[in-house]
Amino acid sequence: MTKRIFSGAQPTGNVHLGNYLGALKNWVALQHEYESFFCIVNLHALTIAQDPALLIEKTRDLARIYLAVGIDPQVSTIFIQSDVHEHAELTWVLNCVARMSELERMTQYKDKARKQQENISVGLFDYPVLMASDILLYQTDLVPVGDDQRQHLELTRDIAIRFNRDYGETFKAPDAFIPKVGARIMSLSDPAKKMSKSDDDPNGCVLLMDDADTVQKKFKRAVTDSGTEIRFDVSRPAINNLLEIYHLMTGKTPQAVENHFAGKGYAQLKGDLAESTVEFLRPIQQRVREINDERLDEILDQGREKARQIARATLERVFHLTGLKR
Ligand code: AQP
């Protein structure tokens, strides 16, 4: 039987190169090998304050990005999380399986809570259980994500195994697919932090919808390391990060990348990187603009129906086993 993948991104605007290189790029590559479900996780987005009208817009914008980067609706299912209410329902049941102590250990929650300090929602704390529900509803084999999701994936497996043990075999325990290169693209302004849309410095993060001038400006301002040599070296994280991005954007081998920059300076590296990125983003941005609203609705409606069929079957079993349904 064809194996299944599930993954998602939050419609919080501003999809960036980290999201693309760590996750979306691999979705596109894997979709022909696996039965694929790509979700726009708008329930997750609600864990921090959102403007309602903007959230609707950003949800559709993210669907456009999925299509524009190459997710093919003929082979993959694209849908909106809140269109399939089973996600929220399963989350309640799994909330009663997950442990407070497990959630308290989640580093992403700790980081985000530290940044927010006040008004931390229960939803932010519970985010990993909602993520577990997303994945487990679809009997997922593989979850292509960036490195920051590794811990959440481990929790998902633990919850699945515990539920199966306590109530009876129901969920597949999924594996993470974390790419060897690109799983943690770092901020251009601080290579000790991952590239992130909530970065205080917007120059640290290149967005898929940035125009050419902005891309150039951001790479030009990127911090570098001491020394002059341009080669892959994890002990020089700023240059290593720029080279990794260049390698992934151009498809050139690491050796070819080093040869290309041998004897050249940082200004050349930043200039070439900006140029390749602008060229890479141009057709994606063009496709985003071309996607027609009716076609988008059609794709999301079809996605919802396909996703619901599978989600409903899993939730039925969960309700029977837990005594919620006769
Ligand atoms: N810097 C990154 N490098 C590689 N992969 C990354 N991902 C995120 N940042 C990087 C991966 O992108 C996918 C979708 O992520 P998301 O929509 O859940 O957003 P996020 O992880 O919350 O991204 P941000 O920008 O870091 O958001 P904030 O600032 O809100 O925390 C996931 O597979 C993720 O691993």
Side-chain angles (χ1 to χ4, degrees), residues 7-12 14 16-24 27 41 44 48 62 108 112 115 127 144-150 182-187 193-199 205:
S7 200
Q10 300 187 70
T12 36
N14 306 343
H16 54 73
L17 276 186
N19 298 136
Y20 175 73
L21 297 173
L24 274 69
W27 304 356
V41 294
H44 283 273
I48 52 168
L62 183 55
Q108 193 176 78
K112 291 198 173 183
K115 274 191 208 160
Y127 184 111
V145 282
D147 183 65
D148 59 334
Q149 297 300 329
R150 190 186 294 274
R184 199 170 183 81
I185 299 295
M186 307 312 277
S187 160
K193 293 195 300 199
K194 73 160 195 154
M195 185 178 282
S196 168
K197 60 184 165 287
S198 58
D199 199 329
C205 179

Side-chain angles (χ1 to χ4, degrees), residues 244-289:
E244 215 170 82
I245 297 173
Y246 187 80
H247 155 60
L248 290 167
M249 297 308 282
T250 59
K252 288 184 182 164
T253 64
Q255 190 56 59
V257 172
E258 287 187 350
N259 292 345
H260 176 80
F261 289 113
K264 295 181 180 150
Y266 289 165
Q268 176 97 34
L269 168 61
K270 290 176 174 188
D272 286 6
L273 189 46
E275 198 181 308
S276 323
T277 305
V278 168
E279 285 315 308
F280 178 80
L281 294 182
R282 199 192 308 280
I284 293 177
Q285 296 177 352
Q286 179 65 26
R287 283 195 291 272
V288 163
R289 284 189 284 270

